[in-house]
Amino acid sequence: MLSEEIVNKIVKEQRDGMTANDKKRDKGLKVPKDLKCFYDIPYSKDDATCKLDLYRPSRSTKKPFPVIVSVHGGGWIYGDKELYSFYCMELARRGFALVNFTYRLAPEHKFPLALIDTNNVFKWIIKNAAAFNLDLQNIFATGDSAGANYLSIYANILTNKTFSEEIKIKAPAKLKLKGLYLNCGMYDWTLFSDNQERAALLQALMPYGGTSREAKLGSPALFVTKDFPQAFVVTAEHDFLRPSAALMVQALCAVGADFRYKCYQSSREKLYHVFMLNLRSKEGSKSIDEQCDWFKSLIR
């Protein structure tokens, strides 16, 4: 086990680096005029940070909007809804009600508190569907990096009874996710067992410092079943988590789950980890179109 000093140092370095990169990426972006936005809605009393934003097209319609829930990335130790607002707004502009929420971060808040927050967001959606014109028959979710990890774990809670009993989170009985977009995710901690940075993040995340049992519970590829929601597993040519996507694909194949897989690559630009968050990237915009088109193909 790493010393607390080393773990704290790596957490700080990660937070500082991601903050600088995200501010540079989103500098100058503005809120689209064709959206109606609802900000800072509390979805739980567990913590003051437990708030969500909801974005949807501003056009008037009696037909409810299909829903996308975004689970942000950030290595389990960084991020909030503000840092994902522009990306989420682009998804909403394509005809969806987008729920963008902040969850509690490690190391201040340990696993599985962020999953409890995620569960509370879906409870909020079910409770407030009528007020915000949300289509409960067509709920989708997207997550990148650590967010894809959390989203995959949550999908296992919904579809694997043994796992849900082990993790002790009870999902809403009425909830069914029509499709998951899993972007550049971490699906099995054993893949990076000899990497100090990953070991520090696992140690920061878990209550007992990342025991073998905790590492297993945090590895969603180990618990998928044939009932796992339809998934679109995405990575990129230069994504450092690309090997993890391959493990998730193998796991889904092994149980006969319904999924798609794509590794994005381009001759025009190098595509790295979570490249689609860069709204100035042509390939990123293309991937957002493909994500939303796939969601729409599942609407019934």
Side-chain angles (χ1 to χ4, degrees):
M1 186 174 291
L2 301 172
S3 70
E4 184 176 354
E5 181 181 3
I6 290 176
V7 171
N8 290 339
K9 180 175 182 292
I10 290 175
V11 167
K12 184 179 186 305
E13 289 173 349
Q14 289 285 304
R15 284 176 169 172
D16 290 346
M18 286 187 280
T19 298
N21 289 336
D22 287 345
K23 285 184 177 180
K24 180 180 179 181
R25 180 195 67 203
D26 293 344
K27 186 177 180 180
L29 296 178
K30 298 183 183 301
V31 175
K33 294 181 179 180
D34 55 353
L35 291 181
K36 186 172 184 179
C37 301
F38 305 85
Y39 297 106
D40 294 326
I41 303 171
Y43 65 83
S44 168
K45 296 180 181 180
D46 289 341
D47 191 85
T49 62
C50 292
K51 295 181 180 180
L52 62 81
D53 294 345
L54 189 148
Y55 323 123
R56 70 185 193 205
S58 57
R59 66 178 184 274
S60 59
T61 176
K62 293 183 179 180
K63 187 176 181 180
F65 290 100
V67 181
I68 302 175
V69 177
S70 171
V71 187
H72 72 74
W76 304 272
I77 51 93
Y78 166 83
D80 55 28
K81 61 185 178 63
E82 282 69 32
L83 288 167
Y84 271 66
S85 60
F86 295 114
Y87 168 70
C88 289
M89 287 175 182
E90 281 301 308
L91 296 172
R93 293 183 71 201
R94 287 158 171 82
F96 297 87
L98 196 294
V99 177
N100 172 27
F101 71 101
T102 296
Y103 55 77
R104 288 173 285 181
L105 301 173
E108 293 83 3
H109 304 283
K110 302 293 186 179
F111 184 93
L113 292 181
L115 287 164
I116 292 173
D117 294 342
T118 303
N119 194 44
N120 283 332
V121 167
F122 284 104
K123 289 180 179 178
W124 181 92
I125 290 170
I126 292 170
K127 183 178 180 180
N128 293 277
F132 290 91
N133 201 23
L134 307 179
D135 184 357
L136 295 182
Q137 301 306 308
N138 289 290
I139 300 178
F140 305 93
T142 183
D144 72 88
S145 197
N149 171 268
Y150 278 144
L151 181 55
S152 301
I153 294 173
Y154 189 70
N156 285 333
I157 292 170
L158 292 174
T159 56
N160 183 331
K161 183 179 179 181
T162 301
F163 178 76
S164 67
E165 291 174 350
E166 174 103 10
I167 209 145
K168 296 181 174 61
I169 294 176
K170 187 175 181 180
K174 298 179 180 179
L175 178 61
K176 182 178 180 181
L177 299 183
K178 293 288 288 289
L180 309 181
Y181 190 81
L182 303 175
N183 169 31
C184 299
M186 164 70 93
Y187 308 108
D188 190 338
W189 281 100
T190 62
L191 185 65
F192 294 94
S193 59
D194 59 349
N195 181 292
Q196 186 183 63
E197 182 181 282
R198 296 278 88 77
L201 292 176
L202 178 61
Q203 192 169 321
L205 174 64
M206 294 298 181
Y208 298 102
T211 64
S212 59
R213 178 180 177 274
E214 288 177 326
K216 184 178 180 181
L217 288 176
S219 299
L222 304 180
F223 297 96
V224 297
T225 70
K226 64 179 178 58
D227 297 318
F228 194 82
Q230 289 192 63
F232 196 158
V233 181
V234 172
T235 185
E237 185 177 14
H238 300 285
D239 175 20
F240 72 92
L241 286 180
R242 181 177 172 183
S244 184
L247 289 178
M248 188 62 164
V249 166
Q250 291 173 12
L252 293 169
C253 280
V255 298
D258 190 353
F259 75 95
R260 293 178 62 183
Y261 168 74
K262 183 168 183 175
C263 177
Y264 280 89
Q265 49 190 317
S266 173
S267 59
R268 294 182 295 185
E269 57 180 308
K270 286 189 175 182
L271 302 181
Y272 294 96
H273 188 62
V274 298
F275 71 94
M276 57 283 298
L277 298 185
N278 180 6
L279 300 185
R280 296 182 174 90
S281 163
K282 290 184 179 180
E283 295 297 331
S285 180
K286 177 183 175 183
S287 75
I288 292 174
D289 284 336
E290 290 183 351
Q291 175 182 178
C292 291
D293 287 345
W294 179 67
F295 284 154
K296 288 175 183 178
S297 74
L298 301 178
I299 293 175
R300 297 291 182 269

